[in-house]
Amino acid sequence: MTSDAPPNKLGDFLKARRAELSPRTVGLPDSVGPRRVIGLRREEVALLADISTDYYTRLEQGRIQPSGQVLAALAQALHLDDCRRDLLFELAGRQVARPRRQAAQKVRPTLRCLLDDLTAAPGVVLGRRMDILAWNPLAAALLTDFAKVPEKKRNYVRLLFTDPSMRKRYADWRTVARDCVSHLRMRAAKYPDDPRLTGLVGELSVKDIDFGLWWGGHHTASRSTSTKRFLHPVAGELVLDWDALTCGTDPDQELVVWTAQPGTPSYDGLRVLASWAASHVGGPAPGRVG
């Protein structure tokens, strides 16, 4: 006896893809004890895509039609390449959402001028994906020598998770890293079809289990000023105030600055660091005026 139900190709595709993945490959912790299913559970896919388990179950069963936004989230959660992403949209009967090619960001001249004037405070300019577009010598001395990092890898979140020296600089690395994941999630929500952002998230989810856990969570970092504590091999302990200035002509760029109150040990430590940077940190920062 045959069924008259139409084939559920989208559901079959989703089932097959989640069977190919494991919690570890997407940054989720391995469960204790045997698993009843091969690959990811439905609730794990739903968590990664930031949708309810009930919604995903009905979607996989062919009972609802997903929006383009949900499909984009699933493509990211399931680590689909471009070909499989296109197939996902096709099976759902949606027009393939081709990621728009965005022009490479260059630091705005106004932010570059402000950065050049910062001689007593570390500063960097971050772009739409939290790429490091520019920095001053003091920032390189405080964190890492950005000039030695290939431009395509020069991303603040990537370095925070993959550069051992960056991990050691922050006294409370876990709090700082979790906040950065939250900031990156907000960028991804604004640009869900950005292939470089999707690739960055996929890369870090595989490389670092904490990133995968925090990406699938709902922690929201404050956008207000805060205090960061650094442990520097030359300047010692530095307690610095952090603030960000958004560019008026390009809201996707912001100048991040760390400062210390005059007369404090941290202020004196920054002066020591500036003197050391003058002879140890080389290479001009991108976008320098003049």
Side-chain angles (χ1 to χ4, degrees), residues 140-177:
L142 175 67
L143 298 169
T144 192
D145 194 346
F146 301 116
K148 294 182 179 180
V149 180
E151 185 176 355
K152 290 185 178 180
K153 300 288 186 180
R154 204 180 289 151
N155 177 277
Y156 197 86
V157 183
R158 176 187 277 115
L159 291 174
L160 195 59
F161 278 88
T162 63
D163 186 335
S165 65
M166 285 274 282
R167 281 180 176 256
K168 294 177 182 177
R169 289 292 188 270
Y170 285 101
D172 189 2
W173 176 86
R174 291 182 66 83
T175 297
V176 172

Side-chain angles (χ1 to χ4, degrees), residues 107-118 123 125 133-137 253 255 284-290:
V107 59
R108 300 295 297 177
T110 50
L111 293 186
R112 179 72 262 181
C113 289
L114 286 172
L115 194 58
D116 288 339
D117 286 341
L118 291 175
V125 176
L133 305 181
W135 62 91
N136 64 6
Q253 292 191 33
L255 173 62
R288 184 169 297 281
V289 175

Side-chain angles (χ1 to χ4, degrees), residues 183-206:
H183 291 316
L184 188 66
R185 192 190 306 114
M186 289 189 287
R187 306 293 177 94
K190 186 176 181 181
Y191 297 107
D193 297 325
D194 187 323
R196 285 189 58 190
L197 248 177
T198 302
L200 174 64
V201 172
E203 172 194 344
L204 295 180
S205 295
V206 171

Side-chain angles (χ1 to χ4, degrees), residues 7 15 27 33 49 55 60 66 75-76 80 85 88 102 128 148 153 157 173 184-185 187 217 243 245 250 270 276 279:
K15 292 176 188 176
Y55 182 95
E60 198 173 89
Q76 181 172 292
L80 301 182
R85 186 180 187 278
L88 175 70
Q102 295 176 314
R128 69 175 69 94
K148 294 182 179 180
K153 300 288 186 180
V157 183
W173 176 86
L184 188 66
R185 192 190 306 114
R187 306 293 177 94
D243 205 346
L245 173 67
D250 184 354
L270 282 181
W276 177 84
S279 58

